[in-house]
mmCIF file of all heavy atoms in Angstrom:
data_model
loop_
_atom_site.group_PDB
_atom_site.id
_atom_site.type_symbol
_atom_site.label_atom_id
_atom_site.label_comp_id
_atom_site.label_asym_id
_atom_site.label_seq_id
_atom_site.Cartn_x
_atom_site.Cartn_y
_atom_site.Cartn_z
ATOM 1 N N PRO A 1 -12.226 77.342 -114.572
ATOM 2 C CA PRO A 1 -13.340 78.108 -113.934
ATOM 3 C C PRO A 1 -14.725 77.623 -114.490
ATOM 4 O O PRO A 1 -15.758 77.911 -113.848
ATOM 5 C CB PRO A 1 -13.109 79.525 -114.339
ATOM 6 C CG PRO A 1 -12.126 79.524 -115.486
ATOM 7 C CD PRO A 1 -11.291 78.310 -115.227
ATOM 8 N N ASN A 2 -14.773 76.941 -115.619
ATOM 9 C CA ASN A 2 -16.010 76.435 -116.136
ATOM 10 C C ASN A 2 -16.276 74.942 -115.985
ATOM 11 O O ASN A 2 -17.096 74.361 -116.708
ATOM 12 C CB ASN A 2 -16.176 76.828 -117.686
ATOM 13 C CG ASN A 2 -16.085 78.342 -117.834
ATOM 14 O OD1 ASN A 2 -15.184 78.857 -118.463
ATOM 15 N ND2 ASN A 2 -17.064 79.071 -117.352
ATOM 16 N N ILE A 3 -15.448 74.296 -115.094
ATOM 17 C CA ILE A 3 -15.641 72.870 -114.817
ATOM 18 C C ILE A 3 -15.776 72.751 -113.330
ATOM 19 O O ILE A 3 -15.022 73.255 -112.534
ATOM 20 C CB ILE A 3 -14.406 72.057 -115.306
ATOM 21 C CG1 ILE A 3 -14.306 72.148 -116.856
ATOM 22 C CG2 ILE A 3 -14.518 70.594 -114.849
ATOM 23 C CD1 ILE A 3 -13.148 71.364 -117.375
ATOM 24 N N ALA A 4 -16.766 72.038 -112.887
ATOM 25 C CA ALA A 4 -17.006 71.731 -111.502
ATOM 26 C C ALA A 4 -15.835 70.864 -110.976
ATOM 27 O O ALA A 4 -15.493 69.873 -111.526
ATOM 28 C CB ALA A 4 -18.337 70.964 -111.304
ATOM 29 N N ARG A 5 -15.223 71.307 -109.886
ATOM 30 C CA ARG A 5 -13.946 70.650 -109.461
ATOM 31 C C ARG A 5 -14.213 69.430 -108.652
ATOM 32 O O ARG A 5 -15.205 69.344 -107.939
ATOM 33 C CB ARG A 5 -13.178 71.671 -108.543
ATOM 34 C CG ARG A 5 -12.610 72.800 -109.360
ATOM 35 C CD ARG A 5 -11.592 73.539 -108.513
ATOM 36 N NE ARG A 5 -10.544 72.659 -108.081
ATOM 37 C CZ ARG A 5 -9.534 73.013 -107.230
ATOM 38 N NH1 ARG A 5 -9.597 74.215 -106.637
ATOM 39 N NH2 ARG A 5 -8.579 72.155 -106.938
ATOM 40 N N LEU A 6 -13.247 68.496 -108.796
ATOM 41 C CA LEU A 6 -13.195 67.297 -107.947
ATOM 42 C C LEU A 6 -12.376 67.620 -106.709
ATOM 43 O O LEU A 6 -11.212 68.076 -106.844
ATOM 44 C CB LEU A 6 -12.623 66.135 -108.672
ATOM 45 C CG LEU A 6 -12.430 64.873 -107.864
ATOM 46 C CD1 LEU A 6 -13.759 64.189 -107.499
ATOM 47 C CD2 LEU A 6 -11.504 63.854 -108.610
ATOM 48 N N TYR A 7 -12.921 67.453 -105.500
ATOM 49 C CA TYR A 7 -12.162 67.741 -104.287
ATOM 50 C C TYR A 7 -11.527 66.498 -103.633
ATOM 51 O O TYR A 7 -10.510 66.498 -103.120
ATOM 52 C CB TYR A 7 -13.112 68.396 -103.248
ATOM 53 C CG TYR A 7 -13.547 69.805 -103.586
ATOM 54 C CD1 TYR A 7 -14.892 70.121 -103.398
ATOM 55 C CD2 TYR A 7 -12.697 70.689 -104.088
ATOM 56 C CE1 TYR A 7 -15.330 71.408 -103.656
ATOM 57 C CE2 TYR A 7 -13.142 71.986 -104.457
ATOM 58 C CZ TYR A 7 -14.478 72.314 -104.215
ATOM 59 O OH TYR A 7 -14.923 73.607 -104.533
ATOM 60 N N ASP A 8 -12.282 65.393 -103.792
ATOM 61 C CA ASP A 8 -11.815 64.236 -103.016
ATOM 62 C C ASP A 8 -12.534 63.004 -103.567
ATOM 63 O O ASP A 8 -13.465 63.062 -104.352
ATOM 64 C CB ASP A 8 -12.267 64.463 -101.472
ATOM 65 C CG ASP A 8 -11.435 63.510 -100.516
ATOM 66 O OD1 ASP A 8 -10.681 62.695 -101.053
ATOM 67 O OD2 ASP A 8 -11.649 63.560 -99.310
ATOM 68 N N GLY A 9 -12.175 61.874 -103.070
ATOM 69 C CA GLY A 9 -12.781 60.583 -103.486
ATOM 70 C C GLY A 9 -12.345 59.449 -102.628
ATOM 71 O O GLY A 9 -11.259 59.580 -101.893
ATOM 72 N N GLY A 10 -13.000 58.400 -102.581
ATOM 73 C CA GLY A 10 -12.684 57.236 -101.799
ATOM 74 C C GLY A 10 -13.673 56.164 -101.950
ATOM 75 O O GLY A 10 -14.499 56.055 -102.825
ATOM 76 N N THR A 11 -13.688 55.271 -100.896
ATOM 77 C CA THR A 11 -14.614 54.160 -100.798
ATOM 78 C C THR A 11 -15.198 54.194 -99.407
ATOM 79 O O THR A 11 -14.508 54.307 -98.433
ATOM 80 C CB THR A 11 -13.905 52.860 -101.145
ATOM 81 O OG1 THR A 11 -13.228 52.969 -102.389
ATOM 82 C CG2 THR A 11 -14.855 51.695 -101.152
ATOM 83 N N THR A 12 -16.518 53.905 -99.344
ATOM 84 C CA THR A 12 -17.209 53.811 -98.065
ATOM 85 C C THR A 12 -16.782 52.517 -97.385
ATOM 86 O O THR A 12 -16.244 51.611 -97.955
ATOM 87 C CB THR A 12 -18.708 53.880 -98.173
ATOM 88 O OG1 THR A 12 -19.229 52.657 -98.823
ATOM 89 C CG2 THR A 12 -19.176 55.120 -98.978
ATOM 90 N N GLU A 13 -17.227 52.408 -96.071
ATOM 91 C CA GLU A 13 -16.880 51.113 -95.354
ATOM 92 C C GLU A 13 -17.631 49.939 -96.004
ATOM 93 O O GLU A 13 -17.210 48.808 -95.838
ATOM 94 C CB GLU A 13 -17.294 51.254 -93.896
ATOM 95 C CG GLU A 13 -16.466 52.243 -93.131
ATOM 96 C CD GLU A 13 -16.769 52.336 -91.680
ATOM 97 O OE1 GLU A 13 -17.682 51.482 -91.284
ATOM 98 O OE2 GLU A 13 -16.235 53.076 -90.944
ATOM 99 N N ASP A 14 -18.711 50.207 -96.806
ATOM 100 C CA ASP A 14 -19.432 49.169 -97.459
ATOM 101 C C ASP A 14 -18.838 48.854 -98.829
ATOM 102 O O ASP A 14 -19.377 48.089 -99.559
ATOM 103 C CB ASP A 14 -20.858 49.574 -97.649
ATOM 104 C CG ASP A 14 -21.659 49.542 -96.341
ATOM 105 O OD1 ASP A 14 -21.134 48.938 -95.400
ATOM 106 O OD2 ASP A 14 -22.761 50.125 -96.271
ATOM 107 N N GLY A 15 -17.739 49.527 -99.185
ATOM 108 C CA GLY A 15 -17.119 49.280 -100.489
ATOM 109 C C GLY A 15 -17.656 50.071 -101.671
ATOM 110 O O GLY A 15 -17.392 49.691 -102.802
ATOM 111 N N ILE A 16 -18.430 51.109 -101.416
ATOM 112 C CA ILE A 16 -19.059 51.855 -102.469
ATOM 113 C C ILE A 16 -18.169 53.026 -102.789
ATOM 114 O O ILE A 16 -17.883 53.890 -101.914
ATOM 115 C CB ILE A 16 -20.450 52.372 -102.086
ATOM 116 C CG1 ILE A 16 -21.326 51.235 -101.586
ATOM 117 C CG2 ILE A 16 -21.055 53.128 -103.252
ATOM 118 C CD1 ILE A 16 -21.625 50.223 -102.684
ATOM 119 N N PRO A 17 -17.733 53.173 -104.098
ATOM 120 C CA PRO A 17 -16.861 54.360 -104.500
ATOM 121 C C PRO A 17 -17.666 55.612 -104.423
ATOM 122 O O PRO A 17 -18.837 55.641 -104.718
ATOM 123 C CB PRO A 17 -16.453 54.005 -105.907
ATOM 124 C CG PRO A 17 -16.690 52.517 -106.057
ATOM 125 C CD PRO A 17 -17.793 52.235 -105.225
ATOM 126 N N TYR A 18 -17.020 56.723 -104.109
ATOM 127 C CA TYR A 18 -17.722 58.040 -104.117
ATOM 128 C C TYR A 18 -16.722 59.074 -104.566
ATOM 129 O O TYR A 18 -15.489 58.924 -104.496
ATOM 130 C CB TYR A 18 -18.235 58.391 -102.691
ATOM 131 C CG TYR A 18 -17.212 58.620 -101.676
ATOM 132 C CD1 TYR A 18 -16.653 59.900 -101.473
ATOM 133 C CD2 TYR A 18 -16.786 57.505 -100.824
ATOM 134 C CE1 TYR A 18 -15.720 60.135 -100.462
ATOM 135 C CE2 TYR A 18 -15.827 57.757 -99.842
ATOM 136 C CZ TYR A 18 -15.308 59.070 -99.675
ATOM 137 O OH TYR A 18 -14.302 59.264 -98.717
ATOM 138 N N LEU A 19 -17.297 60.128 -105.060
ATOM 139 C CA LEU A 19 -16.515 61.352 -105.434
ATOM 140 C C LEU A 19 -17.076 62.573 -104.649
ATOM 141 O O LEU A 19 -18.304 62.726 -104.522
ATOM 142 C CB LEU A 19 -16.731 61.638 -106.940
ATOM 143 C CG LEU A 19 -16.235 60.478 -107.856
ATOM 144 C CD1 LEU A 19 -16.568 60.829 -109.320
ATOM 145 C CD2 LEU A 19 -14.837 60.124 -107.712
ATOM 146 N N VAL A 20 -16.207 63.438 -104.297
ATOM 147 C CA VAL A 20 -16.616 64.670 -103.629
ATOM 148 C C VAL A 20 -16.335 65.820 -104.647
ATOM 149 O O VAL A 20 -15.163 66.077 -104.921
ATOM 150 C CB VAL A 20 -15.854 64.856 -102.322
ATOM 151 C CG1 VAL A 20 -16.295 66.222 -101.587
ATOM 152 C CG2 VAL A 20 -15.972 63.667 -101.413
ATOM 153 N N MET A 21 -17.431 66.458 -105.000
ATOM 154 C CA MET A 21 -17.345 67.531 -106.034
ATOM 155 C C MET A 21 -17.744 68.916 -105.510
ATOM 156 O O MET A 21 -18.375 69.042 -104.488
ATOM 157 C CB MET A 21 -18.287 67.147 -107.147
ATOM 158 C CG MET A 21 -18.145 65.726 -107.752
ATOM 159 S SD MET A 21 -16.646 65.529 -108.739
ATOM 160 C CE MET A 21 -16.908 66.658 -110.030
ATOM 161 N N GLU A 22 -17.337 69.910 -106.238
ATOM 162 C CA GLU A 22 -17.793 71.206 -106.029
ATOM 163 C C GLU A 22 -19.310 71.287 -106.166
ATOM 164 O O GLU A 22 -19.908 70.728 -107.129
ATOM 165 C CB GLU A 22 -17.158 72.230 -107.010
ATOM 166 C CG GLU A 22 -17.763 73.595 -107.017
ATOM 167 C CD GLU A 22 -17.205 74.448 -108.235
ATOM 168 O OE1 GLU A 22 -16.407 73.924 -109.026
ATOM 169 O OE2 GLU A 22 -17.640 75.575 -108.288
ATOM 170 N N ARG A 23 -19.985 71.944 -105.208
ATOM 171 C CA ARG A 23 -21.472 72.102 -105.386
ATOM 172 C C ARG A 23 -21.689 73.318 -106.177
ATOM 173 O O ARG A 23 -21.238 74.445 -105.880
ATOM 174 C CB ARG A 23 -22.146 72.196 -104.010
ATOM 175 C CG ARG A 23 -23.670 72.178 -104.168
ATOM 176 C CD ARG A 23 -24.404 72.861 -103.075
ATOM 177 N NE ARG A 23 -25.824 72.828 -103.331
ATOM 178 C CZ ARG A 23 -26.766 73.452 -102.678
ATOM 179 N NH1 ARG A 23 -26.314 74.229 -101.665
ATOM 180 N NH2 ARG A 23 -27.966 73.400 -102.962
ATOM 181 N N VAL A 24 -22.422 73.153 -107.293
ATOM 182 C CA VAL A 24 -22.766 74.246 -108.210
ATOM 183 C C VAL A 24 -24.255 74.582 -108.010
ATOM 184 O O VAL A 24 -25.072 73.715 -108.165
ATOM 185 C CB VAL A 24 -22.450 73.857 -109.669
ATOM 186 C CG1 VAL A 24 -22.878 75.033 -110.580
ATOM 187 C CG2 VAL A 24 -20.957 73.553 -109.834
ATOM 188 N N ILE A 25 -24.577 75.791 -107.703
ATOM 189 C CA ILE A 25 -25.908 76.275 -107.637
ATOM 190 C C ILE A 25 -26.241 77.088 -108.873
ATOM 191 O O ILE A 25 -25.661 78.124 -109.147
ATOM 192 C CB ILE A 25 -26.117 77.120 -106.344
ATOM 193 C CG1 ILE A 25 -25.731 76.343 -105.111
ATOM 194 C CG2 ILE A 25 -27.538 77.692 -106.318
ATOM 195 C CD1 ILE A 25 -25.885 77.194 -103.823
ATOM 196 N N GLY A 26 -27.140 76.554 -109.676
ATOM 197 C CA GLY A 26 -27.507 77.206 -110.906
ATOM 198 C C GLY A 26 -28.585 76.466 -111.638
ATOM 199 O O GLY A 26 -29.133 75.545 -111.142
ATOM 200 N N LEU A 27 -28.887 77.036 -112.809
ATOM 201 C CA LEU A 27 -29.958 76.457 -113.740
ATOM 202 C C LEU A 27 -29.272 75.759 -114.917
ATOM 203 O O LEU A 27 -28.192 76.228 -115.378
ATOM 204 C CB LEU A 27 -30.847 77.539 -114.216
ATOM 205 C CG LEU A 27 -31.815 78.197 -113.250
ATOM 206 C CD1 LEU A 27 -32.578 79.327 -113.914
ATOM 207 C CD2 LEU A 27 -32.800 77.099 -112.719
ATOM 208 N N PRO A 28 -29.943 74.732 -115.477
ATOM 209 C CA PRO A 28 -29.424 74.197 -116.702
ATOM 210 C C PRO A 28 -29.327 75.295 -117.792
ATOM 211 O O PRO A 28 -30.176 76.200 -117.810
ATOM 212 C CB PRO A 28 -30.482 73.108 -117.111
ATOM 213 C CG PRO A 28 -31.036 72.701 -115.759
ATOM 214 C CD PRO A 28 -31.060 73.945 -114.909
ATOM 215 N N ILE A 29 -28.347 75.236 -118.611
ATOM 216 C CA ILE A 29 -28.050 76.331 -119.513
ATOM 217 C C ILE A 29 -29.231 76.737 -120.415
ATOM 218 O O ILE A 29 -29.410 77.921 -120.655
ATOM 219 C CB ILE A 29 -26.772 75.999 -120.373
ATOM 220 C CG1 ILE A 29 -26.300 77.221 -121.100
ATOM 221 C CG2 ILE A 29 -27.035 74.836 -121.291
ATOM 222 C CD1 ILE A 29 -24.927 77.064 -121.770
ATOM 223 N N ASP A 30 -30.069 75.739 -120.865
ATOM 224 C CA ASP A 30 -31.207 76.136 -121.753
ATOM 225 C C ASP A 30 -32.244 76.930 -120.871
ATOM 226 O O ASP A 30 -32.808 77.915 -121.342
ATOM 227 C CB ASP A 30 -31.821 74.932 -122.440
ATOM 228 C CG ASP A 30 -32.188 73.817 -121.418
ATOM 229 O OD1 ASP A 30 -31.708 73.774 -120.236
ATOM 230 O OD2 ASP A 30 -32.928 72.926 -121.807
ATOM 231 N N ASP A 31 -32.509 76.399 -119.655
ATOM 232 C CA ASP A 31 -33.475 77.128 -118.851
ATOM 233 C C ASP A 31 -32.967 78.567 -118.420
ATOM 234 O O ASP A 31 -33.799 79.489 -118.408
ATOM 235 C CB ASP A 31 -33.735 76.306 -117.482
ATOM 236 C CG ASP A 31 -34.446 74.964 -117.770
ATOM 237 O OD1 ASP A 31 -35.100 74.893 -118.816
ATOM 238 O OD2 ASP A 31 -34.395 74.058 -116.964
ATOM 239 N N TYR A 32 -31.728 78.622 -118.116
ATOM 240 C CA TYR A 32 -31.149 79.864 -117.773
ATOM 241 C C TYR A 32 -31.313 80.964 -118.900
ATOM 242 O O TYR A 32 -31.738 82.013 -118.715
ATOM 243 C CB TYR A 32 -29.638 79.750 -117.376
ATOM 244 C CG TYR A 32 -28.971 81.051 -117.027
ATOM 245 C CD1 TYR A 32 -29.023 81.509 -115.724
ATOM 246 C CD2 TYR A 32 -28.322 81.813 -117.959
ATOM 247 C CE1 TYR A 32 -28.429 82.717 -115.399
ATOM 248 C CE2 TYR A 32 -27.696 82.987 -117.633
ATOM 249 C CZ TYR A 32 -27.719 83.428 -116.325
ATOM 250 O OH TYR A 32 -27.198 84.632 -115.987
ATOM 251 N N CYS A 33 -30.979 80.514 -120.122
ATOM 252 C CA CYS A 33 -31.065 81.348 -121.266
ATOM 253 C C CYS A 33 -32.446 81.898 -121.480
ATOM 254 O O CYS A 33 -32.721 83.030 -121.723
ATOM 255 C CB CYS A 33 -30.601 80.709 -122.491
ATOM 256 S SG CYS A 33 -28.831 80.422 -122.606
ATOM 257 N N ASP A 34 -33.449 80.958 -121.331
ATOM 258 C CA ASP A 34 -34.849 81.345 -121.521
ATOM 259 C C ASP A 34 -35.419 82.170 -120.431
ATOM 260 O O ASP A 34 -36.125 83.217 -120.664
ATOM 261 C CB ASP A 34 -35.696 80.065 -121.747
ATOM 262 C CG ASP A 34 -35.426 79.444 -123.063
ATOM 263 O OD1 ASP A 34 -34.848 80.060 -123.987
ATOM 264 O OD2 ASP A 34 -35.740 78.234 -123.252
ATOM 265 N N GLU A 35 -35.070 81.840 -119.128
ATOM 266 C CA GLU A 35 -35.556 82.663 -117.995
ATOM 267 C C GLU A 35 -35.006 84.059 -118.035
ATOM 268 O O GLU A 35 -35.651 85.023 -117.635
ATOM 269 C CB GLU A 35 -35.291 81.926 -116.738
ATOM 270 C CG GLU A 35 -36.107 80.685 -116.466
ATOM 271 C CD GLU A 35 -36.063 80.238 -115.050
ATOM 272 O OE1 GLU A 35 -35.570 81.031 -114.158
ATOM 273 O OE2 GLU A 35 -36.493 79.166 -114.725
ATOM 274 N N GLN A 36 -33.762 84.199 -118.410
ATOM 275 C CA GLN A 36 -33.062 85.511 -118.474
ATOM 276 C C GLN A 36 -33.334 86.207 -119.848
ATOM 277 O O GLN A 36 -32.941 87.378 -120.003
ATOM 278 C CB GLN A 36 -31.564 85.360 -118.297
ATOM 279 C CG GLN A 36 -31.175 84.742 -116.957
ATOM 280 C CD GLN A 36 -31.609 85.660 -115.810
ATOM 281 O OE1 GLN A 36 -31.421 86.835 -115.799
ATOM 282 N NE2 GLN A 36 -32.115 85.030 -114.728
ATOM 283 N N ARG A 37 -34.046 85.610 -120.739
ATOM 284 C CA ARG A 37 -34.369 86.201 -122.111
ATOM 285 C C ARG A 37 -33.055 86.672 -122.704
ATOM 286 O O ARG A 37 -32.919 87.822 -123.194
ATOM 287 C CB ARG A 37 -35.409 87.317 -121.960
ATOM 288 C CG ARG A 37 -36.684 86.851 -121.449
ATOM 289 C CD ARG A 37 -37.785 87.971 -121.389
ATOM 290 N NE ARG A 37 -38.171 88.299 -122.773
ATOM 291 C CZ ARG A 37 -37.908 89.461 -123.299
ATOM 292 N NH1 ARG A 37 -37.274 90.415 -122.629
ATOM 293 N NH2 ARG A 37 -38.351 89.832 -124.508
ATOM 294 N N LEU A 38 -32.106 85.805 -122.731
ATOM 295 C CA LEU A 38 -30.746 86.184 -123.271
ATOM 296 C C LEU A 38 -30.833 86.391 -124.788
ATOM 297 O O LEU A 38 -31.462 85.644 -125.504
ATOM 298 C CB LEU A 38 -29.716 85.163 -122.936
ATOM 299 C CG LEU A 38 -29.374 84.898 -121.436
ATOM 300 C CD1 LEU A 38 -28.134 84.071 -121.343
ATOM 301 C CD2 LEU A 38 -29.191 86.237 -120.705
ATOM 302 N N SER A 39 -30.050 87.368 -125.250
ATOM 303 C CA SER A 39 -29.975 87.606 -126.702
ATOM 304 C C SER A 39 -29.118 86.513 -127.332
ATOM 305 O O SER A 39 -28.482 85.685 -126.688
ATOM 306 C CB SER A 39 -29.307 88.972 -126.934
ATOM 307 O OG SER A 39 -27.936 88.966 -126.538
ATOM 308 N N ILE A 40 -29.095 86.443 -128.672
ATOM 309 C CA ILE A 40 -28.260 85.582 -129.410
ATOM 310 C C ILE A 40 -26.781 85.751 -129.019
ATOM 311 O O ILE A 40 -26.044 84.788 -128.781
ATOM 312 C CB ILE A 40 -28.519 85.685 -130.919
ATOM 313 C CG1 ILE A 40 -29.897 85.227 -131.248
ATOM 314 C CG2 ILE A 40 -27.424 84.787 -131.653
ATOM 315 C CD1 ILE A 40 -30.284 83.828 -130.958
ATOM 316 N N ARG A 41 -26.337 86.982 -128.923
ATOM 317 C CA ARG A 41 -24.896 87.266 -128.564
ATOM 318 C C ARG A 41 -24.660 86.756 -127.181
ATOM 319 O O ARG A 41 -23.593 86.105 -126.939
ATOM 320 C CB ARG A 41 -24.735 88.783 -128.643
ATOM 321 C CG ARG A 41 -23.292 89.153 -128.134
ATOM 322 C CD ARG A 41 -23.049 90.652 -128.318
ATOM 323 N NE ARG A 41 -22.919 90.928 -129.735
ATOM 324 C CZ ARG A 41 -21.752 90.943 -130.365
ATOM 325 N NH1 ARG A 41 -20.662 90.623 -129.724
ATOM 326 N NH2 ARG A 41 -21.678 91.273 -131.630
ATOM 327 N N GLU A 42 -25.535 86.917 -126.165
ATOM 328 C CA GLU A 42 -25.316 86.435 -124.862
ATOM 329 C C GLU A 42 -25.283 84.890 -124.817
ATOM 330 O O GLU A 42 -24.521 84.308 -124.082
ATOM 331 C CB GLU A 42 -26.348 86.998 -123.960
ATOM 332 C CG GLU A 42 -26.208 88.506 -123.725
ATOM 333 C CD GLU A 42 -27.403 89.120 -123.075
ATOM 334 O OE1 GLU A 42 -28.589 88.638 -123.282
ATOM 335 O OE2 GLU A 42 -27.333 90.141 -122.408
ATOM 336 N N ARG A 43 -26.140 84.260 -125.586
ATOM 337 C CA ARG A 43 -26.090 82.826 -125.675
ATOM 338 C C ARG A 43 -24.827 82.332 -126.254
ATOM 339 O O ARG A 43 -24.225 81.312 -125.783
ATOM 340 C CB ARG A 43 -27.357 82.302 -126.496
ATOM 341 C CG ARG A 43 -28.622 82.580 -125.788
ATOM 342 C CD ARG A 43 -29.833 82.417 -126.707
ATOM 343 N NE ARG A 43 -31.067 82.884 -126.068
ATOM 344 C CZ ARG A 43 -32.049 82.054 -125.614
ATOM 345 N NH1 ARG A 43 -31.901 80.707 -125.768
ATOM 346 N NH2 ARG A 43 -33.070 82.587 -125.025
ATOM 347 N N LEU A 44 -24.371 83.013 -127.316
ATOM 348 C CA LEU A 44 -23.066 82.563 -127.946
ATOM 349 C C LEU A 44 -21.893 82.735 -126.931
ATOM 350 O O LEU A 44 -20.948 81.943 -126.922
ATOM 351 C CB LEU A 44 -22.827 83.375 -129.170
ATOM 352 C CG LEU A 44 -23.727 83.104 -130.388
ATOM 353 C CD1 LEU A 44 -23.552 84.149 -131.447
ATOM 354 C CD2 LEU A 44 -23.551 81.676 -130.918
ATOM 355 N N ASP A 45 -21.925 83.801 -126.104
ATOM 356 C CA ASP A 45 -20.862 83.998 -125.121
ATOM 357 C C ASP A 45 -20.853 82.864 -124.138
ATOM 358 O O ASP A 45 -19.775 82.381 -123.720
ATOM 359 C CB ASP A 45 -21.092 85.302 -124.419
ATOM 360 C CG ASP A 45 -20.648 86.569 -125.194
ATOM 361 O OD1 ASP A 45 -19.786 86.343 -126.116
ATOM 362 O OD2 ASP A 45 -21.229 87.602 -125.008
ATOM 363 N N LEU A 46 -22.061 82.373 -123.720
ATOM 364 C CA LEU A 46 -22.072 81.167 -122.800
ATOM 365 C C LEU A 46 -21.484 79.948 -123.482
ATOM 366 O O LEU A 46 -20.718 79.206 -122.884
ATOM 367 C CB LEU A 46 -23.487 80.944 -122.338
ATOM 368 C CG LEU A 46 -24.122 81.938 -121.359
ATOM 369 C CD1 LEU A 46 -25.522 81.482 -121.022
ATOM 370 C CD2 LEU A 46 -23.330 82.000 -120.016
ATOM 371 N N VAL A 47 -21.866 79.731 -124.717
ATOM 372 C CA VAL A 47 -21.357 78.536 -125.482
ATOM 373 C C VAL A 47 -19.807 78.645 -125.616
ATOM 374 O O VAL A 47 -19.073 77.667 -125.487
ATOM 375 C CB VAL A 47 -22.044 78.416 -126.841
ATOM 376 C CG1 VAL A 47 -21.386 77.361 -127.683
ATOM 377 C CG2 VAL A 47 -23.492 78.091 -126.700
#
């Protein structure tokens, strides 16, 4: 549940490898903690 999933993968017609991943909508963990004014306990729970 805490890892963005890999759904698919392959190679384009031009020979370029690609990966199809879960799209995650969110903030980087440091920005999220500061914007939400998380307590030390709440930050530790995320870690």
Side-chain angles (χ1 to χ4, degrees):
N2 299 116
I3 295 178
R5 290 193 60 189
L6 174 72
Y7 292 139
D8 198 359
T11 305
T12 70
E13 292 184 5
D14 289 344
I16 305 297
Y18 67 87
L19 303 176
V20 182
M21 307 289 297
E22 172 188 359
R23 190 206 176 189
V24 179
I25 301 176
L27 288 175
I29 190 170
D30 55 341
D31 292 339
Y32 179 87
C33 288
D34 290 341
E35 287 198 12
Q36 298 295 318
R37 298 182 70 246
L38 296 191
S39 67
I40 294 299
R41 174 176 289 272
E42 291 167 331
R43 292 166 189 254
L44 290 171
D45 283 335
L46 287 180
V47 172

